[in-house]
Amino acid sequence: MDQSRLEFLVTCIDIAVYKTITGSIQRIHGAVNYTSTTATAKAYIVRRKIDGIFLDMALEGAPELVQCIRRGSSNRHAVIFACAAPGEDAGKLLSSGVNFVLYKPLLADAVNEALNTSASMMEAERKRYLRHQLMVPVVIRRRENEQKAITSNISRGGMAVRCNDTYEPGSPVQFAFELPMGEVRGRGEVAWSSNEGFMGIKFYLLGDPEKKSLSNWLDQREAERR
């Protein structure tokens, strides 16, 4: 995937809706992915990081899919565009977790405006999630257990590590590792783990000095990419 492009998932069976959305996404040079059911959308979202999701609320399971996305991990902050029937309660949809309500028949101008308005939200989330390769020793503690591991990549929101013992998703951990900008210590939560000895750790508590060290290092890496 081209990391410079915003990536969208369109879930609908209405050809006119699909064509209008696709045209607007292509206008901003975004990547379009498509599913026709909420079940296939759910499976896709589990596997991939998505910036924006267009969802036809007429599909079976659409409200449940919104809740699934918001309760998930890597896509919980994705921007959700609800494609609703005329007269459908926008307030109810917004309170359920969607970010924008677009009424059918969709107008290209309305979709374009929603994309323009949401661009800063998507870019901020992408910056938080964008991972940089980094291999440094890291100490991970869980209760009385302590082990040494190696980071494989890191972002503003978390890191992936290779270790001897993996923990169940949801397990609270403490961690410490060194960056050129200074030491980073904090608390986190295991987001995922694999049988190959990898874990994803989500940061949820960093002190101000640690945030500064991490932010400075990531800013430098991102500047090098440009």
Side-chain angles (χ1 to χ4, degrees):
M1 184 183 72
D2 181 353
Q3 291 194 347
S4 67
R5 301 177 70 191
L6 291 173
E7 186 166 350
F8 295 86
L9 177 66
V10 180
T11 301
C12 70
I13 55 174
D14 187 318
I15 297 301
V17 167
Y18 174 76
K19 286 183 176 180
T20 300
I21 294 170
T22 299
S24 294
I25 293 173
Q26 290 174 342
R27 183 185 64 85
I28 63 169
H29 307 292
V32 180
N33 305 279
Y34 172 76
T35 63
S36 60
T37 69
T38 56
T40 51
K42 182 178 179 181
Y44 189 91
I45 290 164
V46 168
R47 302 193 310 268
R48 296 285 292 273
K49 174 67 178 173
I50 303 295
D51 298 297
I53 300 163
F54 285 85
L55 175 61
D56 190 338
M57 300 308 295
L59 290 176
E60 182 179 357
E64 292 77 13
L65 179 59
V66 173
Q67 293 305 304
C68 179
I69 294 167
R70 292 304 182 223
R71 290 195 301 264
S73 54
S74 61
N75 285 306
R76 67 183 302 177
H77 298 297
V79 177
I80 301 178
F81 304 84
C83 304
E88 196 165 350
D89 189 341
K92 185 177 180 180
L93 289 171
L94 292 169
S95 65
S96 74
V98 309
N99 301 98
F100 294 88
V101 178
L102 300 165
Y103 286 106
K104 296 182 283 187
L106 295 192
L107 298 177
D109 286 347
V111 179
N112 293 343
E113 183 178 353
L115 286 172
N116 291 338
T117 303
S118 63
S120 60
M121 298 166 58
M122 290 185 284
E123 290 294 350
E125 171 63 9
R126 168 163 285 221
K127 187 174 182 180
R128 186 186 73 84
Y129 183 83
L130 183 63
R131 299 193 178 278
H132 299 270
Q133 289 187 340
L134 174 70
M135 295 181 67
V136 296
V138 55
V139 176
I140 301 172
R141 299 185 184 89
R142 180 174 182 265
R143 297 176 183 168
E144 303 303 317
N145 228 0
E146 179 177 303
Q147 64 170 315
K148 294 181 179 179
I150 298 291
T151 63
S152 61
N153 61 58
I154 190 168
S155 73
R156 296 177 191 273
M159 62 182 172
V161 302
R162 180 154 196 165
C163 52
N164 291 325
D165 299 314
T166 59
Y167 306 135
E168 290 292 320
S171 300
V173 295
Q174 299 177 47
F175 55 83
F177 58 91
E178 286 281 348
L179 288 176
M181 307 293 184
E183 185 182 41
V184 176
R185 290 178 174 270
R187 298 178 182 272
E189 179 181 293
V190 177
W192 55 267
S193 59
S194 73
N195 294 330
E196 292 76 32
F198 286 93
M199 283 195 305
I201 297 175
K202 178 171 59 176
F203 302 150
Y204 69 73
L205 183 60
L206 293 173
D208 289 338
E210 286 78 10
K211 286 180 181 177
K212 185 175 181 180
S213 295
L214 179 60
S215 181
N216 287 344
W217 183 80
L218 289 168
D219 286 345
Q220 185 180 76
R221 294 298 299 270
E222 287 162 12
E224 292 169 356
R225 283 189 173 205
R226 298 189 189 110

